[in-house]
Every structure is written in C-alpha cells, then in structure tokens.
Amino acid sequence: MMTIAAPPGTAFGAVGAGGLALVLTVVLILGVRGRGKQRLRDNGALAVAFLAGTAYRAAGEFWVNAEQVTTQGLTGLGVGGRGPFGELGIGAVCCLLVALVLLAPLTPGRAALLGLVAALVFPTAGVGTIWHVPVSLAAAVLLMIGGGG
C-alpha cells in the first residue's frame, strides 16, 4: 500500500485518499457514461482512471480489491514465472499497456480500463524503473489536491 500524505489545510480541506478514490470513481463513471453536462473522451478517461487507481493504492481498505483482482490476473498470465506465454516479466506487461494506449482504437470505457490497470500494474515494476515515473507524478497530483493517506 502506498501512502499519500498532505497537511489538512490544503485548498480542498481534508479530502483523504479514500475520499479522492471515491470522487475520482464517480467522475470516471459519470464522465465515461456521458449522460451529464460533461463527457470524458479517451485521453481524459485514461488520465482520471490512472489517478483513481493511484488513489485506490493509497487508500487501502475497500479500494484494495481492484489491486487484488489485477494481481490475480497477472498471476494467471504467468507474470514473474512460466505461464501460457512462456516467461513473462512485469516490464513486458507495462510495455503492452503502453502499446495498447498508443496504438489500439480506444473508447472512453476502454481507456478508463487501461488507465486503471496501468495505475495498478506500473508500481509493481519497482521504484527504479521508468514505469514508476507516471506513478510518482500521479501521487504528487493527488497530494496537491489533498489525498492524505
């Protein structure tokens, strides 16, 4: 579990990581469905989903379920060992996610799913990897908003 801490006197008051996870999830659902005043397009849905996934990791509690499902999926693919695709490392999964984001035709729903998965997979690659850069950036954004853990 990652911790995001901020002083309680931030611009939005005391929000907390769980509060941010909740707000970002609602924004993601309503924005992707697009029946309100604003609609999230593919890039917006991807960004909001990545921030939401980062908030899930920080919040723990109920929000850890998304991370557990992702971890089970990676285990099923054989990541970190020998599986149906042979030896598959976490770096390959991260590269695959980036390839899908850049090259696959995305709808807002698909982009949101890829963003959530990326937010939960990238940190498992480790702190010294290139994949940790967007994780750190997302955590910094959440910290500025007031997502204390």
Side-chain angles (χ1 to χ4, degrees), residues 2-51:
M2 182 173 52
T3 303
I4 301 174
T10 59
F12 294 101
V15 177
L20 273 174
L22 178 63
V23 169
L24 289 169
T25 300
V26 169
V27 168
L28 190 60
I29 291 169
L30 294 178
V32 167
R33 290 177 69 188
R35 295 190 185 125
K37 293 182 179 183
Q38 297 294 321
R39 178 175 171 85
L40 290 174
R41 300 215 179 267
D42 52 357
N43 288 337
L46 181 76
V48 171
F50 195 88
L51 288 171

Side-chain angles (χ1 to χ4, degrees), residues 74-90:
L74 292 173
T75 302
L77 289 173
V79 173
R82 194 130 178 94
F85 298 104
E87 290 185 33
L88 183 63
I90 193 68

